[in-house]
Amino acid sequence: GKLFSSGGYPSNAFDGSVTTTIALGNPGCYFGVDLGLHSRALLHEVRIYPDYNEAHRIVNGKIEGSVDGVNYITIGSVGSREQEGWNSVHISGIAAQNLVANASTIPFRFLRFAGHSTSSCHLAELEFLGYTVAAETDRARFNGAGVSCNITVATSEPSVS
């Protein structure tokens, strides 16, 4: 996958080390991963490790997904009482102000963390947990059968397990 951001070094959030960070101080910041033309992800959880002593900076941050890299929908929210260390956001149920009935069933190509208008992007690690599936345009190659496997995006390249 290809990493992207509104600035900084997004690879720091996917390198497996809580000692390297991405620190984007502006509200509206974002960073994430493009899984590529032929891959999509069905998420069930996102794990976030804030920058040391900076958990307050991710309050109300959003987990967003997109199929085209332009139009994003909120599929999870960090919340208002985050802690130092690992925080989990479960992806299911109603998200994006009732625009998405069940966000865990939508295959996204682009996944990102986005700071809220009152928060920023100070993270040490970000993990997207779920399954990869073939892109809709590729399903004909598999005779219409869905193809899926576990995915953990925690490094600069998505790893499939």
Side-chain angles (χ1 to χ4, degrees), residues 37-55:
L37 184 61
H38 301 289
S39 295
R40 303 293 181 269
L42 295 171
L43 296 182
H44 60 79
E45 182 180 3
V46 176
R47 290 178 10 112
I48 302 164
Y49 197 107
D51 194 358
Y52 177 73
N53 221 14
E54 301 287 348

Side-chain angles (χ1 to χ4, degrees), residues 7-145:
Y9 301 97
S11 59
N12 287 353
F14 297 97
D15 64 3
S17 172
V18 297
T19 61
T20 58
T21 63
I22 181 169
L24 305 175
N26 54 315
C29 59
Y30 62 85
F31 66 93
V33 62
D34 172 358
L35 296 174
L37 184 61
H38 301 289
S39 295
R40 303 293 181 269
L42 295 171
L43 296 182
H44 60 79
E45 182 180 3
V46 176
R47 290 178 10 112
I48 302 164
Y49 197 107
D51 194 358
Y52 177 73
N53 221 14
E54 301 287 348
H56 64 282
R57 292 184 181 258
I58 65 168
V59 167
N60 298 320
K62 301 175 285 184
I63 306 303
E64 297 179 327
S66 174
V67 295
D68 61 8
V70 176
N71 301 297
Y72 282 85
I73 59 172
T74 301
I75 58 176
S77 178
V78 174
S80 60
R81 298 180 56 112
E82 294 315 306
Q83 64 188 16
E84 297 295 326
W86 286 107
N87 295 270
S88 291
V89 176
H90 296 281
I91 309 299
S92 64
I94 306 299
Q97 301 163 343
N98 297 327
L99 294 176
V100 180
N102 192 346
S104 63
T105 64
I106 299 172
F108 294 107
R109 174 180 170 179
F110 299 87
L111 304 169
R112 73 181 186 184
F113 175 88
H116 186 266
S117 62
T118 60
S119 64
S120 58
C121 301
H122 283 249
L123 299 181
E125 286 298 305
L126 181 64
E127 294 180 349
F128 297 105
L129 306 172
Y131 301 92
T132 56
V133 295
E136 187 67 32
T137 56
D138 292 332
R139 292 201 181 156
R141 293 188 317 176
F142 301 109
N143 296 324

